[in-house]
Amino acid sequence: MSDINLSFPRTQRIKKTHQISHASIESSYHKQVPLNPRQKLYLDLTNVHKQSKSIFNHPLSTKFAAFPVNQLDSTMFTPSYKNLEESYTARPVDTSFNSISTSLKDIINTSRIRSRRSGFKSISTPSKREIKFPISGQDAMRYFCENLTEYEQSEVLDYKEVYFLGSKTGKINGKIGDLNWGYDNEKGDFQVVLGDHIDFRYEIVSVLGKGTFGQVLKCLDHKNNEHVAVKVIRNKKRFHKQGLVEIKILNLLKAKDPEDNYNVIRIKESFTFRKHLCLSFELLSMNLYEFLKLNSFEGLSLHLVKRFSLQILNGLKYSKSLSIIHCDLKPENILLKTSTKSLIKIIDFGSSCLESERIYTYIQSRFYRAPEIMLGIPYGTSIDMWSFGCIVSELHTGYPLFPGESEQEQLYRIIEVLGLPPKQIMDISTRKKIFFDNDGNPKLIPNSRGKIRYPNTRPLSTMIGNQDPLLLEFLTAILKWDPQERLTPEQAINHPFLKMQLSPKRRNRPSISFFSKEFIKAKLN
Ligand SMILES: Nc1ncnc2c1ncn2[C@@H]1O[C@H](COP(=O)(O)OP(=O)(O)OP(=O)(O)O)[C@@H](O)[C@H]1O
């Protein structure tokens, strides 16, 4: 194929129209009427099109096609031209690309020379450092095409605002046929590439946690220039559906708490990226399980237990007022706001529901599971108070109160401390056959170490120690079989255990054990 000839016959008819038209531009050029750069490039492009259909068969041509004609300018050529050259290098046998790339080179050069000659200011390609973000998806293609994978080149065009592109090294090259173009593993988890972007805005810094629902990533939000936590939900229908419920509940919690007074996590944004539902949150510090671990599982001072308890109850009181059941309260879902202060927030409303919209009957993490869930009895917000009671004990002692190795052992551990469930509970239990014989006696099945647990043989006082009688009273009032008898968050806040101020002398352990970031990192890894 020969190079593109940029001269046009003198006989070309002039079309008198105010709109940009191919003929008018061509003729203006030929009559030495100065063309503006956009007109000239329109001409160049259409000539490329006319003279070489094959260029438009190349995958990159779809990128050209994606630009409305009135948005074409010389800056577009640079990256696209480079890509054409690259594709030629990759396929040396294809001589048509050779001539096309040479032609494009000519077009660009000629266009610049002509612009200079005709006195028009040429459109110069700004250096990448000069470009200020955000840019449009189209500009991302113009200036940074070579930083993007082929998948991203199509993807980015849908973005009105691009804040961050990620470096090309390490990016997953999305391919048809791979799981979600290669962006997912077989479990539907997003394949994390540190340093890459999420949604052309968030830079992935590290992985903060992995859970049933997906992964939580520490990211730098290039729009607001702050670190955030982004929860990337697994790309599976069930998790996606539950993720939508989580967003609904988090938005409700946020809307009714404009001043951030209630110790619950605040959602910032939600969006879908590569088929993954994503939720961005304020970035918090370590969770209370990690905090206990950092304290060598020795348990926290009563002073600190009280401080944490009051804040958790504040969150539970608030969620109860909105009829929200958290359904998965545990130390891993309570986070310190920073590693140097005792402020905390409740996170993970991923299993939550409204009292009027309960879907699942079997919920909560086993150690913190309320008896009514195991016994198959209708439940409400009081299941969170059961979990709260277990957490208070664990914060105080350093170890879970009822660490059942199975569902059955979980209930037998509770029976060992509280005795048998009262008649009114047994009567309405739909799952009692799993745990009790026909006479209502526990089946006394040994656990994996051969231990049989007998009712009422292990008083709560021996499990939590006798340091503070009010703590025992407090926990006894919370850990009730009957949810109706359990303290509500309001009642718990007003319980003497939390009302009593500790004098500094009575603080039996250091009031708080906060550490440097380096120390925390070393300990937790
Ligand atoms: N806003 C945040 N700031 C810092 N770390 C966070 C934040 N949100 C979550 N994490 C970390 O990620 C972990 C998992 O988060 P989350 O519980 O929301 O995910 P999940 O998939 O629902 O987990 P699970 O399987 O426990 O239900 C948390 O235990 C915590 O360590």
Side-chain angles (χ1 to χ4, degrees):
M1 186 186 290
S2 64
D3 278 5
I4 295 166
N5 183 358
L6 281 169
S7 68
F8 302 98
R10 280 185 178 280
T11 50
Q12 193 88 39
R13 272 190 57 204
I14 301 168
K15 231 181 173 184
K16 285 191 180 167
T17 164
H18 293 295
Q19 285 183 326
I20 296 181
S21 82
H22 179 76
S24 67
I25 299 168
E26 265 189 17
S27 61
S28 306
Y29 166 65
H30 205 65
K31 288 168 72 196
Q32 303 297 307
V33 176
L35 294 174
N36 73 35
R38 186 172 283 169
Q39 288 173 321
K40 247 186 291 105
L41 280 150
Y42 169 79
L43 185 65
D44 294 341
L45 258 189
T46 45
N47 270 295
V48 171
H49 184 84
K50 263 201 321 194
Q51 300 204 22
S52 167
K53 281 256 164 65
S54 62
I55 188 175
F56 283 82
N57 291 331
H58 186 270
L60 281 167
S61 66
T62 54
K63 311 297 170 206
F64 283 124
F67 289 90
V69 164
N70 65 359
Q71 288 186 22
L72 297 172
D73 65 50
S74 66
T75 55
M76 273 180 64
F77 275 104
T78 320
S80 310
Y81 162 67
K82 274 192 190 149
N83 270 284
L84 277 176
E85 242 185 4
E86 272 165 21
S87 65
Y88 167 67
T89 325
R91 296 146 80 184
V93 202
D94 189 347
T95 48
S96 64
F97 278 112
N98 186 18
S99 57
I100 288 162
S101 59
T102 317
S103 307
L104 274 165
K105 208 184 267 173
D106 285 348
I107 289 170
I108 295 160
N109 289 337
T110 322
S111 157
R112 282 188 184 141
I113 294 161
R114 269 195 257 136
S115 298
R116 253 180 265 135
R117 273 202 207 128
S118 56
F120 280 102
K121 221 173 140 200
S122 86
I123 301 170
S124 60
T125 311
S127 93
K128 285 183 186 172
R129 283 206 196 120
E130 285 164 15
I131 296 168
K132 286 221 170 81
F133 283 81
I135 55 176
S136 68
Q138 295 185 353
D139 278 346
M141 267 295 286
R142 268 189 195 110
Y143 305 123
F144 297 99
C145 186
E146 69 267 38
N147 291 45
L148 301 170
T149 65
E150 277 207 35
Y151 181 90
E152 288 176 319
Q153 289 174 19
S154 316
E155 187 182 40
V156 78
L157 290 171
D158 291 334
Y159 282 77
K160 284 201 183 94
E161 291 178 348
V162 170
Y163 295 89
F164 179 70
L165 295 162
S167 80
K168 185 145 189 191
T169 36
K171 269 185 197 287
I172 289 168
N173 238 321
K175 277 189 231 90
I176 303 178
D178 290 353
L179 288 166
N180 192 20
W181 292 76
Y183 291 116
D184 290 1
N185 67 14
E186 65 293 339
K187 278 168 39 199
D189 269 318
F190 183 71
Q191 305 259 44
V192 174
V193 176
L194 299 186
D196 202 2
H197 70 89
I198 288 185
D199 212 33
F200 293 101
R201 169 172 168 180
Y202 303 95
E203 177 177 356
I204 305 174
V205 177
S206 61
V207 179
L208 291 168
K210 283 184 187 172
T212 334
F213 290 89
Q215 303 168 84
V216 182
L217 311 174
K218 179 179 175 180
C219 293
L220 176 60
D221 175 2
H222 282 264
K223 180 173 181 182
N224 296 329
N225 201 19
E226 62 180 1
H227 280 104
V228 293
V230 177
K231 185 168 181 172
V232 185
I233 307 275
R234 280 165 68 184
N235 178 14
K236 294 276 173 201
K237 213 171 169 187
R238 178 165 91 82
F239 297 109
H240 188 92
K241 215 171 136 197
Q242 187 56 31
L244 294 175
V245 177
E246 183 174 2
I247 293 170
K248 179 176 126 181
I249 287 176
L250 285 164
N251 281 329
L252 178 65
L253 286 165
K254 187 177 169 184
K256 304 277 178 189
D257 178 21
E259 305 218 314
D260 194 9
N261 286 327
Y262 294 106
N263 302 93
V264 292
I265 185 78
R266 284 173 90 75
I267 187 169
K268 284 177 178 279
E269 316 218 3
S270 60
F271 53 91
T272 303
F273 177 60
R274 295 178 188 163
K275 296 197 184 149
H276 290 267
L277 200 58
C278 300
L279 292 72
S280 72
F281 297 100
E282 57 185 319
L283 181 69
L284 304 173
S285 181
M286 76 187 95
N287 66 49
L288 288 192
Y289 172 77
E290 291 169 329
F291 186 64
L292 284 173
K293 189 175 172 189
L294 220 52
N295 281 280
S296 315
F297 299 109
E298 280 171 11
L300 311 175
S301 70
L302 277 175
H303 177 75
L304 198 48
V305 171
K306 288 180 188 194
R307 270 191 70 82
F308 286 156
S309 297
L310 276 168
Q311 293 176 78
I312 300 167
L313 287 170
N314 189 36
L316 291 182
K317 181 179 156 194
Y318 176 56
S319 50
K320 181 173 178 275
S321 74
L322 299 171
S323 301
I324 293 167
I325 317 176
H326 184 283
C327 298
D328 197 18
L329 203 65
K330 56 184 176 182
E332 290 88 334
N333 285 339
I334 299 163
L335 266 56
L336 288 173
K337 282 175 90 172
T338 67
S339 62
T340 51
K341 289 203 176 105
S342 58
L343 297 174
I344 52 167
K345 284 207 162 191
I346 300 173
I347 66 154
D348 192 7
F349 287 79
S351 310
S352 308
C353 63
L354 293 174
E355 260 181 318
S356 56
E357 294 174 10
R358 287 167 303 172
I359 304 171
Y360 303 106
T361 49
Y362 215 72
I363 45 176
Q364 299 186 294
S365 296
R366 193 191 311 130
F367 297 178
Y368 310 91
R369 191 173 291 152
E372 58 267 36
I373 300 298
M374 289 182 270
L375 293 171
I377 294 169
Y379 63 89
T381 49
S382 43
I383 63 167
D384 291 335
M385 281 306 287
W386 178 275
S387 309
F388 167 75
C390 299
I391 294 168
V392 173
S393 168
E394 186 168 340
L395 294 178
H396 176 61
T397 63
Y399 287 96
L401 179 62
F402 300 125
E405 62 175 40
S406 65
E407 183 197 27
Q408 273 179 325
E409 220 231 349
Q410 186 66 35
L411 198 79
Y412 295 149
R413 276 182 179 268
I414 297 171
I415 291 171
E416 188 181 32
V417 177
L418 301 188
L420 290 171
K423 188 174 177 311
Q424 77 269 20
I425 294 293
M426 287 292 268
D427 286 348
I428 54 170
S429 166
T430 57
R431 300 182 85 232
K432 59 181 169 232
K433 284 205 172 118
I434 300 171
F435 310 98
F436 303 97
D437 63 22
N438 290 340
D439 299 327
N441 295 315
K443 287 182 178 169
L444 302 179
I445 301 166
N447 70 9
S448 63
R449 282 170 290 122
K451 184 170 170 63
I452 297 177
R453 298 187 183 277
Y454 296 95
N456 238 340
T457 52
R458 211 170 177 201
L460 191 58
S461 57
T462 60
M463 301 187 72
I464 59 164
N466 292 321
Q467 272 164 22
D468 189 338
L470 283 176
L471 171 62
L472 183 61
E473 207 183 272
F474 183 64
L475 288 180
T476 309
I478 292 170
L479 299 171
K480 294 274 185 202
W481 282 107
D482 191 340
Q484 310 280 348
E485 291 175 13
R486 229 168 267 159
L487 289 188
T488 62
E490 298 86 338
Q491 289 168 335
I493 287 169
N494 290 309
H495 190 277
F497 169 66
L498 294 178
K499 290 269 164 197
M500 270 282 281
Q501 288 299 316
L502 277 181
S503 71
K505 271 191 190 165
R506 286 191 61 204
R507 292 179 190 168
N508 49 331
R509 269 169 254 162
S511 67
I512 195 156
S513 318
F514 291 115
F515 313 93
S516 75
K517 279 186 180 157
E518 292 67 35
F519 178 80
I520 291 165
K521 238 183 178 173
K523 269 272 198 179
L524 292 179
N525 286 336

